[in-house]
Amino acid sequence: MTLDDRVAIVTGGAQGIGGATARRLAEEGARVLIADIDTDVGEANVATIRESGGTAEALRVDVSRAQDIEAMVRKAVDLWD
């Protein structure tokens, strides 16, 4: 199964389990939005995904803030809808 034409939002996607999840989803063909408070590490993970041929963007998101969650979803829709 591939995830072509799918969009994935990975909270905590800069590193660790979230980072690995973001990379794996991209390997399977998903377009990935990495949502994390650590923008520098998030951007580094985006670079890794792109170097492997995947599609990814990073966004600073604090999941404890409703406005950040709304902005995260809006960004994904704006990018890939």
Side-chain angles (χ1 to χ4, degrees), residues 8-68:
I9 298 173
V10 182
T11 59
Q15 60 186 340
I17 293 170
T21 300
R23 290 189 299 277
R24 180 67 179 158
L25 290 166
E27 286 174 14
E28 291 295 324
R31 294 167 286 184
V32 180
L33 179 61
I34 293 173
D36 204 293
I37 58 172
D38 192 338
T39 53
D40 291 338
V41 179
E43 289 292 345
N45 201 18
V46 165
T48 299
I49 289 169
R50 289 179 180 166
E51 288 168 6
S52 298
T55 302
E57 295 287 337
L59 182 66
R60 187 193 185 288
V61 175
D62 179 344
V63 296
S64 71
R65 298 175 44 143
Q67 60 268 35
D68 281 11

